[in-house]
Amino acid sequence: MTTTVTAKGQVTIPKAVRELLDLVPGSEVDFHRAADGSVVLVRADKKVTASRFQRLRGHAGNGLDTDAIMALTRGET
């Protein structure tokens, strides 16, 4: 997808990108420079939802204490 920069430095974001990012008039976007020098456009005003793995990170719950684990490994009940 190619677009042209205006004299004011403005560009039109292609419709496919607007739909992908769910951009509507008034949406805020950020530009980030990647390590390879490319520039990435991301939506800034929408909360990024964590993946199912990120949501579980650090949540082992109330598990067994060390003594209980040792008893299980030794076959004690």
Side-chain angles (χ1 to χ4, degrees):
M1 291 176 260
T2 304
T3 188
T4 304
V5 179
T6 68
K8 291 183 176 183
Q10 299 171 333
V11 295
T12 299
I13 300 171
K15 183 178 180 182
V17 176
R18 292 193 314 265
E19 289 175 347
L20 178 70
L21 296 176
D22 194 26
L23 297 175
V24 295
S27 295
E28 294 181 7
V29 295
D30 277 334
F31 296 91
H32 297 279
R33 186 170 182 173
D36 65 357
S38 62
V39 177
V40 180
L41 171 72
V42 294
R43 184 163 179 175
D45 61 349
K46 189 173 186 178
K47 186 176 182 180
V48 178
T49 57
S51 74
R52 60 184 172 168
F53 300 109
Q54 289 171 327
R55 287 193 305 266
L56 293 174
R57 184 178 175 137
H59 294 279
N62 296 332
L64 302 171
D65 62 8
T66 304
D67 292 331
I69 293 171
M70 294 304 292
L72 284 172
T73 59
R74 293 181 182 139
E76 302 169 5
T77 54

